[in-house]
Amino acid sequence: MESTGSSGRLWELQFERSSTPGGAFAAHTDSALRSAELQLPGSLAAAVVKWPVELAQDDSWRMESVLSKMTIEEFPDTDELVWILGKQHLLKTEKSKLLSDISARLWFTYRRKFSPIGGTGPSSDAGWGCMLRCGQMMLAQALICRHLGRDWNWEKQKEQPKEYQRILQCFLDRKDCCYSIHQMAQMGVGEGKSIGEWFGPNTVAQVLKKLALFDEWNSLAVYVSMDNTVVIEDIKKMCCILPLSADTAGESPPSSLNASNRSDELIFLDPHTTQTFVDTEENGTVDDQTFHCLQSPQRMNILNLDPSVALGFFCKEEKDFDSWCSLVQKEILKENLRMFELVQKHPSHWPPFIPPAKPEVTTTGAEFIDSTEQLEEFDLEEDFEILSV
């Protein structure tokens, strides 16, 4: 966060609509909750971006039901616009750019043959790690926007920036990587989840919030809403920044949303593919070919989306957050059935808001979460969402 008199922090907001186990993990980082239909001014689109919908289902009868509704055939030849992470593509004339944009997203799937979690735990997350992989994908996209920008694009066999390699290494399946499956699974113990147990969106959001406390390189302030209510005052307090007045809040949001209701079909990255563990090579880089989905992307009708979803918004600077708030108040909260609330002040009937702090320990980063005994300093956070549809 670049702001006068403030410490450097970035914001990521995460909140959940329902906590039904075995749900879909949908993540967006522009300011619209409809499927990729928001037009943003260039400066805002570079910082507040939309995530592809990343599906994660319990690998049981629910998976078979959802997968039967997915399509992986070629995109239809129409004049419709497709939105990916805040960027629009004209489907009829820019299909190659669209596919390239999708394949550039980091794709995390089940892996096997990594070192046993906790020393004696599972060496594969097949069957239980899908939601953790979706959380990794969501956070990885935030880090790409943080360090490389939304316009950065990945190309096969091309040398990538050092920041890209460093981002990728944050998610390798090793206990010393800050957002690895090992770290997430062991931090989940503090949320009441045994290692190898399936996570819901709430648990993933809480785990990422806590792991971010040890991530000094990215300096993320991760806010997870309670009761589906985003509190502006709490977020600014968490980022150690005094709230700015409305007339100094940066650029104004777009005057209206340019939405199309013809399809609203969702494009998503599916974690339900098991691949072999990939580690760093001798030169310190990672062979990233299996971390990008090079096949035709999958699609599903938005009406088939499981109601158990988490939404993530990334704001690089305070002015982007203020613009996001303005747009939400103007365009999203006017709907009768809204997915969340946005309020200025901390509700008086809630417990006082205390920004999360890194526990006082002798080790740092991923080394901290090396055994479940060290998780006692974290409180369980179960009062997350209370929305029924």
Side-chain angles (χ1 to χ4, degrees), residues 111-130:
R111 295 278 174 171
R112 62 176 180 270
K113 296 185 178 180
F114 50 69
S115 61
I117 298 176
T120 59
S123 58
S124 172
D125 64 314
W128 60 271
C130 48

Side-chain angles (χ1 to χ4, degrees), residues 17 103 129 147 158 165 195 223 236 274 324 347 352 365 383 386:
R17 177 164 185 165
S103 66
H147 295 285
K158 182 180 178 181
Q165 282 287 331
I195 294 176
Y223 172 85
K236 296 199 173 189
T274 304
W324 179 86
D383 52 346
I386 309 180

Side-chain angles (χ1 to χ4, degrees), residues 95-109:
K95 189 176 297 185
S96 60
K97 290 184 178 180
L98 168 64
L99 295 175
S100 176
D101 196 8
I102 295 173
S103 66
R105 304 310 115 209
L106 282 174
W107 178 45
F108 297 120
T109 70

Side-chain angles (χ1 to χ4, degrees), residues 195-241:
I195 294 176
E197 184 178 353
W198 186 87
F199 283 21
N202 172 37
T203 305
V204 170
Q206 300 290 355
V207 162
L208 291 177
K209 179 180 76 172
K210 292 173 179 177
L211 289 178
L213 297 174
F214 302 94
D215 181 8
E216 296 181 358
W217 175 52
N218 292 298
S219 188
L220 288 175
V222 180
Y223 172 85
V224 183
S225 74
M226 187 174 73
D227 295 358
N228 293 314
T229 302
V230 177
V231 182
I232 298 174
E233 178 184 54
D234 292 349
I235 293 172
K236 296 199 173 189
K237 179 180 179 181
M238 184 177 180
C239 294
C240 301
I241 296 174

Side-chain angles (χ1 to χ4, degrees), residues 7-81:
S7 60
R9 301 305 296 273
L10 299 175
W11 293 325
E12 182 179 357
L13 287 68
Q14 298 179 336
F15 50 94
E16 185 180 13
R17 177 164 185 165
S18 170
S19 61
T20 306
F25 200 174
H28 307 261
T29 52
D30 68 13
S31 306
L33 298 180
R34 302 167 187 168
S35 119
E37 297 166 356
L38 173 63
Q39 284 189 338
L40 297 174
S43 58
L44 181 58
V48 183
V49 294
K50 168 164 285 183
W51 306 79
V53 174
E54 297 156 347
L55 180 70
Q57 290 283 345
D58 188 5
D59 291 313
S60 58
W61 64 272
R62 297 176 65 87
M63 265 304 301
E64 295 180 4
S65 174
V66 173
L67 289 174
S68 66
K69 301 173 183 176
M70 300 174 183
T71 57
I72 57 175
E73 69 269 10
E74 293 295 326
F75 287 102
D77 186 18
T78 72
D79 293 327
E80 289 190 40
L81 290 174

